[in-house]
Amino acid sequence: MWGIIATWRMALEGVSESAPQLAAGSAASTAVVDAVAAVEDFPFYKSVGYGGLPTENGEVELDAAFMDGDTLAFGAVGNLIDIANPVRVAQALSRQRYNSLLVGQGAREWALEQGFSDKAMLTERAMQHYRKRCRETLDKGLSPYDGHDTVGIIGLDKQGSMSVATSTSGLFMKKRGRIGDSPIMGSGFYCDSETGAATATGVGEDLMKGCTSYEIVRRMAGGMTPQQAADSVVFELEDKLMSRFGRVGDLSVVCMNRHGEFGAATNIKTFTFVVATEKQPLTVYLAERHREQTCYQPVDEAWMQAYAARIRAPIEE
Ligand code: SD4
């Protein structure tokens, strides 16, 4: 059995290249890292890698992670500036015995020492978004944190190995130095080939309160289906935060077990994910919340076209 599942429609191109490779027997680690790197490289995805949206200081600080479900080795970077593919740096760190999570200047220096390319990650288009948001925030008092999306991809290969990788520019207009859940093992991602893997997207500050990805994997190990684990973790965390913290942000997750069965859960209106397995052709699903349960259906052609137009539309400044 092989399978791959990813947060958000933006993963489609990367997943469509990695899925046939998994079908042909290649390793889950390569499949997820290559698919995430494809999202990082695409300039029109404004929340990951090149073209990602900046901090309130106008700098692009990127977070990424990789975890190998066979060995439980992980590597992660936070606030990485101007390195082409943060996810590849994270994977390289997972091969080190120590220093698994590096941030800021130290992460950048290590990446350069290892031969990763220096690349200016702030694009003119991202700056247009930034200038527009600065003005809107001044005019209308908008929350600077609206708008975000992290790519998280889980792979299962024919040898039974699983891996997960994440990458994000984090929340738009975040403070310099702020790190979300995406490079934090157990919150933004977790993977154990003996059970399965999970990855999250949404407001990192809230996802971390539930150690969301670890908790999903733990529930799958306890016998829940991936869908039960995803729904129960997301909705219990939402209820808990509403009653004890008084508010809750966006929480969305995808997961897959070692048999290639998958689940997705969200507390928002439109969460998309991409999945392909030996049994299921490549599909983009639109997930919606129905009370304490997440339902999903494939997106239609009109949706895909509207999406393509939206991400490339000129930004009116
Ligand atoms: C963060 N979880 O930095 C990320 C942002 C995100 O969908 O996923 N947005 O908090």
Side-chain angles (χ1 to χ4, degrees):
M1 185 56 156
W2 61 269
I4 183 165
I5 186 166
T7 57
W8 304 112
R9 150 68 184 86
M10 66 179 158
L12 179 62
E13 291 80 10
V15 169
S16 61
E17 294 205 353
S18 286
Q21 287 169 14
L22 284 170
S26 71
S29 53
T30 310
V32 298
V33 170
D34 286 353
V36 168
V39 184
E40 290 179 337
D41 288 340
F42 191 67
F44 286 95
Y45 296 144
K46 62 185 195 297
S47 52
V48 175
Y50 181 65
L53 292 174
T55 64
E56 64 174 17
N57 306 74
E59 292 162 330
V60 184
E61 292 193 345
L62 301 172
D63 300 340
F66 168 80
M67 182 168 183
D68 177 325
D70 289 353
T71 59
L72 308 183
F74 81 101
V77 289
N79 310 131
L80 183 63
I81 295 182
D82 287 348
I83 296 287
N85 287 113
V87 73
R88 296 202 190 279
V89 182
Q91 186 185 30
L93 279 168
S94 76
R95 301 193 186 106
Q96 306 289 308
R97 174 69 184 93
Y98 298 107
N99 306 305
S100 309
L101 168 56
L102 289 182
V103 301
Q105 191 56 24
R108 180 171 157 76
E109 280 167 15
W110 189 83
L112 291 172
E113 264 167 37
Q114 301 295 309
F116 287 96
S117 328
D118 203 346
K119 177 175 176 182
M121 300 297 269
L122 181 62
T123 60
E124 177 48 32
R125 189 174 170 86
M127 274 313 282
Q128 288 175 338
H129 278 291
Y130 176 76
R131 288 192 294 264
K132 184 173 180 212
R133 181 56 62 92
C134 288
R135 249 201 349 273
E136 284 171 351
T137 306
L138 286 178
D139 293 353
K140 300 184 213 148
L142 279 178
S143 159
Y145 296 110
D146 294 339
H148 54 76
D149 290 348
T150 292
V151 66
I153 306 187
I154 297 164
L156 162 68
D157 66 31
K158 284 183 158 174
Q159 296 72 41
S161 295
M162 296 189 76
S163 287
V164 63
T166 62
S167 187
T168 188
S169 52
L171 299 182
F172 186 19
M173 294 290 192
K174 65 188 180 182
K175 288 270 178 223
R176 174 187 274 161
R178 178 262 185 197
I179 284 179
D181 58 307
S182 308
I184 304 298
M185 146 121 101
S187 287
F189 65 97
Y190 196 78
C191 182
D192 181 340
S193 303
E194 290 182 3
T195 304
T199 184
T201 172
V203 175
E205 284 73 3
D206 288 349
L207 290 160
M208 287 191 276
K209 294 183 177 90
C211 295
T212 302
S213 294
Y214 180 76
E215 185 60 20
I216 292 171
V217 174
R218 197 186 68 82
R219 290 185 192 200
M220 292 195 290
M224 283 191 184
T225 65
Q227 190 57 43
Q228 287 167 340
D231 274 334
S232 64
V233 166
V234 165
F235 297 123
E236 283 172 29
L237 180 60
E238 187 186 57
D239 289 348
K240 199 183 221 179
L241 293 183
M242 279 311 283
S243 69
R244 294 175 46 186
F245 185 62
R247 69 211 101 119
V248 64
D250 297 359
L251 312 170
S252 302
V253 299
V254 296
C255 57
M256 181 172 277
N257 67 15
R258 68 190 181 92
H259 307 296
E261 296 158 350
F262 62 88
T266 186
N267 70 344
I268 61 173
K269 270 220 176 106
T270 28
F271 169 56
T272 52
F273 65 97
V274 182
V275 61
T277 74
E278 201 169 308
K279 292 190 182 152
Q280 140 112 37
L282 180 67
T283 310
V284 180
Y285 282 105
L286 182 61
E288 270 179 294
R289 174 200 193 135
H290 287 278
R291 296 207 178 88
E292 302 289 279
Q293 218 188 329
T294 305
C295 300
Y296 41 85
Q297 55 188 39
V299 300
D300 58 22
E301 197 42 46
W303 189 95
M304 288 293 269
Q305 280 174 12
Y307 177 89
R310 192 169 67 243
I311 61 159
R312 287 170 195 271
I315 299 148
E316 284 162 31
E317 283 197 72

